[in-house]
Amino acid sequence: MKWQVLAVFAGLALVCAPVAASDREDPAELDGVAVEEVVEEDDGEEDALSFDQRRAVELLGEASRHFDELTELPESRWLRRDQQSAREDIDDLIDDALEVMDVPEIVSMRRQYRELEDRIMTEQERRADLREERMFAPDTDASTLARFTPTETLREMTARTRGDFDRLIEARERNIAAYEEELEALKGEMATALEGVGLSMPPDQLELWMSSAIGDDVVSMAVVFRSIRTLTQRLEELTRESGENLNVAGRYYGMVVILHRLVVTMQERFVERVDEEIVPRLEAYREEADEIIAESRELIREGGHRDSLESNIAANELTRQAIDLYLEVVTGQREQVAEALEISRYEKQVAVNTYRTVQLSANVADLIRDGLDTFETLSELQVPETAEFRNDKIREEFRRLTERLER
């Protein structure tokens, strides 16, 4: 598969001399460049999952002009513009483009998902605190004061009896049930939305990924790849409509080069985060759990309180299971992205070399189509594998690990 993908770009040796930045028109000034901001499907119906294509094209065009500067600027110099400053501008524009190309509707759903998970966790923690307070309260019915206090905050402040705390605990449990119901509905909506961008992720699978520290990254990459394909299709269409005009076709191919760089940036950041942040911390958590288990067993042998120590062992063995699942999910996805990244780096080099050195020919639209095929293949290479929670206890421990990782 890999070398088949690489072969796709063999034809690039036929194209594309650079077009000077000074010869290129501004996006707003090009006839036929105005790109519709609403994506349309093949049947002509409006796609609700849209992103601002006009803004994305503007950012790619600006980045392409800075890319052209690299051949004219010195590698470094004091005070005045150099290659380093041009590269920094390109990186900033790529960051902006990544944000624009992440479909707002799905971004909003991911944010809602995190907020609901946080609310559930907060309610669960508060319920545990109330149960602890109840244990030491007088064993009587709800007090008159607490029963008629109008707000939950005031009821907690005036709670004195076990009956008072029972009412408060029931309220927390109702809140948890309501939030979990919202979360279930949202998972279905997100699964449908992701299906619309070519990512098949049923609600049960989505729950695992969204409960992980890499969930946002995985979903965002899938969505951005969809946006890349959409933009590449638009650039191909506009190139054909321009009659392969030298300036226009060169500019559009320059944008495809920037898209290659954007893909590499996205994948490199993911692999780096997994390698340098997530995996080391998970391994440290596992070592900590192992140490507690070993210490607890030693204390049992020395005559320590068996029930408490066995409870500690069971809790940390559960943590170990959750960590093993976490590492399986994270490293599996990391390997898929790393495999795609190897191809992405090669394709970026080929595209840059072609753009810089070869005489522009009349088949730029076909070359952009080749780029589209490559982006689609790369997207398929990093589709998340199937994984699931083994039970509710693993699910809760998994979420706690995510909370620790995100602190």
Side-chain angles (χ1 to χ4, degrees):
M1 170 64 72
K2 173 180 174 182
W3 294 109
Q4 290 173 342
V5 174
L6 300 183
V8 170
F9 270 69
L12 287 174
L14 299 174
V15 288
C16 200
V19 179
S22 59
D23 294 334
R24 300 216 178 129
E25 296 89 343
D26 183 79
E29 298 174 357
L30 288 172
D31 290 336
V33 174
V35 183
E36 294 297 327
E37 294 184 21
V38 177
V39 182
E40 294 181 356
E41 300 293 354
D42 291 340
D43 60 5
E45 294 182 4
E46 186 177 285
D47 181 3
L49 298 176
S50 61
F51 67 102
D52 190 345
Q53 292 184 35
R54 188 187 306 278
R55 179 59 180 155
V57 166
E58 290 174 355
L59 292 167
L60 293 174
E62 188 175 350
S64 177
R65 288 192 290 276
H66 289 312
F67 181 75
D68 283 335
E69 286 185 280
L70 293 175
T71 59
E72 305 167 359
L73 293 170
E75 185 172 345
S76 64
R77 63 181 172 186
W78 287 95
L79 301 178
R80 300 181 65 186
R81 188 165 178 77
D82 55 20
Q83 290 183 16
Q84 180 60 32
S85 55
R87 290 191 186 96
E88 289 173 355
D89 287 340
I90 293 172
D91 290 340
D92 289 342
L93 289 163
I94 284 176
D95 287 341
D96 292 342
L98 281 168
E99 184 175 349
V100 169
M101 293 162 68
D102 202 350
V103 175
E105 290 84 354
I106 297 179
V107 172
S108 177
M109 289 181 185
R110 298 202 317 256
R111 187 180 301 112
Q112 291 176 48
Y113 195 102
R114 296 298 186 197
E115 289 172 354
L116 284 169
E117 280 199 321
D118 289 344
R119 289 175 185 174
I120 291 170
M121 187 75 71
T122 298
E123 293 292 327
Q124 289 172 336
E125 291 172 353
R126 187 58 189 137
R127 181 181 60 183
D129 292 340
L130 290 169
R131 284 172 175 168
E132 183 178 325
E133 293 180 55
R134 180 188 182 280
M135 184 180 297
F136 302 105
D139 190 8
T140 59
D141 292 335
S143 63
T144 303
L145 178 60
R147 195 161 53 240
F148 293 102
T149 301
T151 68
E152 187 171 320
T153 301
L154 288 175
R155 283 195 292 272
E156 291 192 14
M157 293 174 62
T158 58
R160 295 291 181 270
T161 69
R162 288 194 177 185
D164 293 339
F165 287 109
D166 285 340
R167 286 173 175 268
L168 293 171
I169 290 168
E170 289 172 4
R172 295 293 177 178
E173 288 176 343
R174 286 195 298 271
N175 290 343
I176 292 170
Y179 289 143
E180 287 179 341
E181 186 177 341
E182 285 186 55
L183 200 59
E184 283 299 314
L186 183 59
K187 282 189 290 187
E189 293 174 14
M190 286 187 67
T192 300
L194 291 172
E195 187 71 33
V197 302
L199 180 61
S200 179
M201 191 178 287
D204 59 334
Q205 296 294 302
L206 181 64
E207 179 183 9
L208 182 139
W209 286 106
M210 289 305 298
S211 296
S212 76
I214 64 170
D216 276 337
D217 294 330
V218 170
V219 173
S220 179
M221 282 193 291
V223 172
V224 170
F225 261 114
R226 182 263 199 179
S227 299
I228 288 172
R229 296 197 300 271
T230 297
L231 284 176
T232 307
Q233 288 172 335
R234 291 291 186 265
L235 294 173
E236 179 199 6
E237 293 167 7
L238 292 170
T239 300
R240 295 191 191 282
E241 290 173 2
S242 75
E244 306 253 2
N245 174 277
L246 180 65
N247 287 347
V248 174
R251 177 177 179 275
Y252 290 153
Y253 189 76
M255 293 183 192
V256 174
V257 171
I258 297 300
L259 285 173
H260 278 284
R261 184 163 179 164
L262 181 149
V263 168
V264 169
T265 297
M266 184 171 55
Q267 293 170 332
E268 284 180 340
R269 287 176 179 173
F270 179 83
V271 171
E272 180 180 344
R273 181 167 180 247
V274 170
D275 288 348
E276 297 184 7
E277 179 183 339
I278 295 176
V279 167
R281 292 181 67 182
L282 286 172
E283 290 176 342
Y285 297 158
R286 184 168 57 183
E287 290 176 8
E288 179 184 3
D290 287 341
E291 290 172 2
I292 294 173
I293 290 171
E295 182 180 338
S296 297
R297 287 173 176 163
E298 180 63 28
L299 289 171
I300 289 174
R301 287 192 291 269
E302 294 175 357
H305 192 281
R306 177 174 290 274
D307 289 345
S308 296
L309 292 168
E310 286 182 346
S311 177
N312 291 342
I313 290 171
N316 281 279
E317 285 178 342
L318 178 65
T319 299
R320 273 294 309 261
Q321 293 177 47
I323 291 171
D324 288 343
L325 174 61
Y326 220 125
L327 285 168
E328 176 186 332
V329 167
V330 168
T331 57
Q333 190 63 25
R334 185 260 183 218
E335 292 308 310
Q336 287 182 261
V337 175
E339 179 184 354
L341 173 59
E342 183 178 351
I343 298 173
S344 298
R345 285 171 171 162
Y346 177 87
E347 303 296 5
K348 186 192 77 170
Q349 291 176 345
V350 171
V352 169
N353 180 268
T354 301
Y355 183 64
R356 291 293 192 199
T357 62
V358 183
Q359 178 65 38
L360 186 68
S361 66
N363 63 342
V364 178
D366 292 336
L367 291 164
I368 294 177
R369 166 60 60 174
D370 289 343
L372 174 62
D373 293 340
T374 297
F375 291 140
E376 290 176 344
T377 300
L378 290 169
S379 178
E380 292 169 0
L381 280 175
Q382 56 184 51
V383 170
E385 293 183 349
T386 300
E388 61 184 13
F389 294 119
R390 299 184 183 101
N391 53 56
D392 289 341
K393 290 183 177 180
I394 292 292
R395 176 186 287 106
E396 292 305 315
E397 191 62 29
F398 197 95
R399 288 174 176 170
R400 289 191 184 95
L401 287 168
T402 298
E403 186 181 18
R404 291 181 69 183
L405 287 168
E406 292 178 344
R407 287 175 184 165

